[in-house]
């Protein structure tokens, strides 16, 4: 498998993205914004379509749209306040609506399908560099602002009272969510990205005893799911995106089952 | 030694819409003092804390403070914040310490937090997740996190709420420990006897005004 250049690229890109996704996913999950990934990934499809129509790198176009929509969710969410989750549904509908219109202007539906279900083994050289740079950027920012993001995910109001520049952190995180969603859509597909944002973090919540260990567990499992999924897809001729997510779901079910029996045996 | 006024409220009034909560509230928060606030539900005690904290602005009167008074606040629903969080005790206190005290090496932050947990008998549960603590342990942790920011003034909004009798006694001892350390505190409690045991001054809310109960 490692003799093929496309597989080497797929594994490297998959590894980097799988480290970046749970870093953003943990903050999203703890802020009770798990479905934001779904909304943005569907919205990013509008960017993909736009990129394909005008002939620019679809990943970059998806990134711009995802970041834009990420801000839109924040703005609409603040206007709706008590029912801020409505913002996610509104933005998702808008993104899918625009993608639906734009898809009518694309000659081949193959390219869109590769974003719907992911196509890690078929990424271009340009996309490869884009994904590598953006993944490293997200990982680096999460490391630098670790304690600020920790507080932001714990309680925004309390973070503001205790020295965190919440406006700046909110801006940064909104950009990071957009970036992560866009690059991940290429790997696992827009339809299933939110599961990779959420499942490793959910496993971490079941297994870990601290915020840090939760994050490290989620990163380790996310890498395992991604690299394992890509490997299985190579040997069994399966779609990588779907394989990764099914592998992740089965692992979560296994952990829950094990803990259930462990609890009953005490 | 002359008393140092950290914050002064001068004829402060506040209303939510047309509903006047209180008017003509004047009080001085003097360094090292514990001020108790007492009154019926909805009389504006928590609103007064929010005004002192700066999260609400007075519609009448004025609030003046010394330059850069660092305030730490423990709200009555703060324990709800821990729902769903994977943070452990040490991480929580370190998170408050690092974000509120800038320009300090990580190793010093760790050392300070270690001492703080030790001083308040929390070292043995430092690695425990917040949602695995008992009510008493959790409230002790919440008070220590308000201390971890090295505040000049601590605001405690009903810190004994929803605690059993034994835990309330433990918390009272903890607040007395803070008093011995010379901390400046404004505290709301439902039980006047408990307030009398710890406060230097008690202000009673009545008929939309506040009255100094007694100087103990």
């Amino acid at each position: 498998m490692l003799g093929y250049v496309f597989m080497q690229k797929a594994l490297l890109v998959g590894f980097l993205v799988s480290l970046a996704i749970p870093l953003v996913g943990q903050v999203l999950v703890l802020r009770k914004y798990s479905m934001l990934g779904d909304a943005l990934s569907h919205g990013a499809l509008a960017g993909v379509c736009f990129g394909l129509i005008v002939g620019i790198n679809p990943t970059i176009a998806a990134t711009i749209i995802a970041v834009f929509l990420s801000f839109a969710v924040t703005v609409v969410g603040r206007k709706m306040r008590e029912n801020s989750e409505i913002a996610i549904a509104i933005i998702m509908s808008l993104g899918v609506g625009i993608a639906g219109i734009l898809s009518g202007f694309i000659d081949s539906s193959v390219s869109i399908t590769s974003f719907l279900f992911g196509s890690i083994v078929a990424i271009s050289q340009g996309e490869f560099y884009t994904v590598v740079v953006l993944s490293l950027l997200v990982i680096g920012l999460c490391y630098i602002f670790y304690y600020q993001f920790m507080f932001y995910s714990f309680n925004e109001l309390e973070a503001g009272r205790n020295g965190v520049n919440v406006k700046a952190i909110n801006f940064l995180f909104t950009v990071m969510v957009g970036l992560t969603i866009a690059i991940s859509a290429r790997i696992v597909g827009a339809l299933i990205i939110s599961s990779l944002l959420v499942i490793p973090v959910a496993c971490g919540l079941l297994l870990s005893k601290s915020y840090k260990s939760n994050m490290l567990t989620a990163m380790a499992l996310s890498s395992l799911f991604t690299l394992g999924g890509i490997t299985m897809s190579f040997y069994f001729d399966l779609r990588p995106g779907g394989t990764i997510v099914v592998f992740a779901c089965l692992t979560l079910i296994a952990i829950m089952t094990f803990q259930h029996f462990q609890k009953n045996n005490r | 030694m002359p008393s140092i006024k950290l914050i002064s409220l001068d004829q402060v009034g506040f209303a939510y819409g047309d509903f006047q909560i209180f008017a003509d509230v004047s009080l001085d928060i003097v360094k090292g003092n514990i001020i108790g606030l007492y009154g019926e539900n909805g009389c504006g005690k928590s609103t007064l804390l929010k005004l002192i904290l700066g999260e609400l602005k007075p519609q009448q009167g004025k609030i003046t403070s010394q330059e850069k008074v660092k305030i730490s606040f423990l709200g009555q629903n703060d324990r709800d914040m821990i729902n769903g969080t994977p943070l452990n005790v040490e991480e929580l206190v370190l998170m408050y310490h690092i974000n509120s005290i800038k320009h300090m090496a990580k190793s010093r932050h760790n050392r300070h937090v270690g001492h703080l947990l030790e001083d308040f008998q929390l070292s043995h549960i430092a690695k425990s997740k917040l949602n695995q603590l008992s009510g008493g342990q959790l409230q002790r942790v919440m008070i220590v996190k308000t201390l971890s920011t090295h505040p000049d003034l601590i605001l405690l909004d009903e810190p004994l709420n929803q605690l059993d009798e034994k835990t309330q006694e433990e918390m009272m001892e903890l607040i007395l420990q803070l008093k011995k350390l010379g901390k400046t505190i404004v505290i709301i409690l439902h039980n006047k006897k408990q307030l009398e045991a710890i406060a230097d001054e008690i202000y009673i809310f009545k008929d939309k005004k506040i009255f100094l109960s007694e100087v103990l």
Side-chain angles (χ1 to χ4, degrees), chain A residues 26 29-30 32 146-155 157-165 204-215, chain B residues 50 53 55 71-73 75 78 81-88 91-92 94-96 98-100 102 106 110 127-130 132 142 145 149:
Chain A
Q26 177 149 322
V29 168
L30 296 179
K32 318 262 186 285
Y146 176 76
Y147 283 100
Q148 285 89 338
F149 284 130
M150 184 194 270
F151 220 149
Y152 178 68
S153 70
F154 178 66
N155 188 289
L157 178 65
E158 189 71 348
R161 284 175 184 155
N162 290 281
V164 177
N165 185 341
L205 287 170
L206 292 172
L207 297 171
S208 66
K209 284 194 183 295
S210 68
Y211 183 94
K212 188 178 179 181
S213 68
N214 200 112
M215 195 167 260
Chain B
K50 293 274 170 70
L53 196 58
E55 286 183 359
I71 305 176
S72 200
F73 174 67
D78 275 12
M81 289 192 298
I82 66 141
N83 292 337
T85 181
L87 284 170
N88 67 27
E91 282 180 328
L92 178 90
L94 190 61
M95 175 179 85
Y96 274 83
I98 284 181
N99 281 299
S100 34
K102 318 277 186 198
K106 175 81 191 315
N110 284 328
K127 303 288 180 196
S128 301
K129 271 173 112 168
L130 294 170
Q132 290 168 344
M142 296 313 260
K145 66 95 173 152
T149 61

Side-chain angles (χ1 to χ4, degrees), chain B residues 27-40:
Chain B
L27 66 89
D28 294 325
I29 301 170
V30 174
K31 195 173 180 187
N33 266 9
I34 296 191
I35 293 178
L37 302 179
Y38 179 79
E40 289 177 0

Side-chain angles (χ1 to χ4, degrees), chain B residues 3-16:
Chain B
S3 57
I4 301 167
K5 289 178 190 170
L6 292 180
I7 292 180
S8 295
L9 282 76
D10 184 20
Q11 294 188 305
V12 168
F14 189 83
Y16 286 109

Side-chain angles (χ1 to χ4, degrees), chain A:
Chain A
M1 177 177 78
L2 292 172
Y4 296 100
V5 176
F6 72 90
M7 283 308 289
Q8 290 170 4
K9 274 198 325 192
L11 289 168
L12 177 62
V13 163
F15 178 65
L16 284 175
V17 171
S18 69
L19 294 180
I21 293 175
L23 291 173
V24 170
Q26 177 149 322
V27 179
L28 276 180
V29 168
L30 296 179
R31 282 175 59 78
K32 318 262 186 285
Y33 259 66
S34 301
M35 290 309 291
L36 181 64
D38 227 16
L40 295 187
S41 59
H42 284 69
L45 285 173
V48 171
C49 294
F50 181 74
L52 291 170
I53 291 168
V54 300
I56 60 169
N57 182 333
T59 303
I60 291 175
T63 305
I64 294 165
I65 295 292
V67 171
F68 171 75
L69 291 178
S70 189
F71 278 106
V73 168
T74 309
V75 172
V76 177
R78 286 190 198 277
K79 296 270 179 215
M80 310 294 285
R81 280 187 184 274
E82 306 271 306
N83 303 303
S84 57
E85 79 283 356
I86 294 174
I88 293 176
I90 294 169
I91 298 303
M92 184 152 120
S93 319
L94 176 69
V96 174
I98 295 172
I101 295 170
L102 294 179
S103 65
F105 298 97
I106 300 168
D107 297 334
S108 164
S109 63
V110 178
S111 304
I112 301 175
T113 311
S114 74
F115 277 89
L116 283 172
F117 297 102
S119 61
I120 190 169
V121 292
I123 57 171
S124 67
Q125 198 66 7
E127 285 170 328
F128 172 78
Y129 289 119
T130 308
V131 174
V132 169
V133 169
L134 294 182
S135 301
L136 290 174
L137 181 67
V138 169
I139 294 166
L141 288 171
C142 282
Y143 179 75
I144 294 167
F145 297 103
Y146 176 76
Y147 283 100
Q148 285 89 338
F149 284 130
M150 184 194 270
F151 220 149
Y152 178 68
S153 70
F154 178 66
N155 188 289
E156 199 175 316
L157 178 65
E158 189 71 348
R161 284 175 184 155
N162 290 281
V164 177
N165 185 341
V166 174
K167 271 190 184 169
I169 286 295
N170 194 38
F171 177 86
L172 191 61
F173 185 68
T174 306
V175 172
M176 283 165 56
V177 172
L179 293 179
T180 310
I181 299 294
I183 57 177
S184 312
R186 192 71 174 110
I187 310 303
V188 289
L191 295 181
I192 35 191
I193 171 62
S194 69
S195 46
L196 204 51
L197 271 167
V198 173
I199 296 169
V201 179
C203 293
L205 287 170
L206 292 172
L207 297 171
S208 66
K209 284 194 183 295
S210 68
Y211 183 94
K212 188 178 179 181
S213 68
N214 200 112
M215 195 167 260
L216 294 175
T217 307
M219 288 168 84
L221 286 174
S222 176
S223 305
L224 175 74
F225 300 150
T226 308
L227 298 182
I230 294 170
T231 307
M232 280 189 268
S233 70
F234 178 81
Y235 286 111
F236 302 111
D237 198 19
L238 304 168
R239 274 190 180 276
T243 314
I244 291 167
V245 172
V246 171
F247 181 27
C249 282
L250 290 175
T251 307
L252 177 65
I253 292 167
I255 293 170
M256 289 167 104
T257 311
F258 176 74
Q259 289 195 335
H260 175 77
F261 284 113
Q262 198 182 33
K263 203 174 168 186
N264 285 352
N265 286 339
R266 268 183 204 156

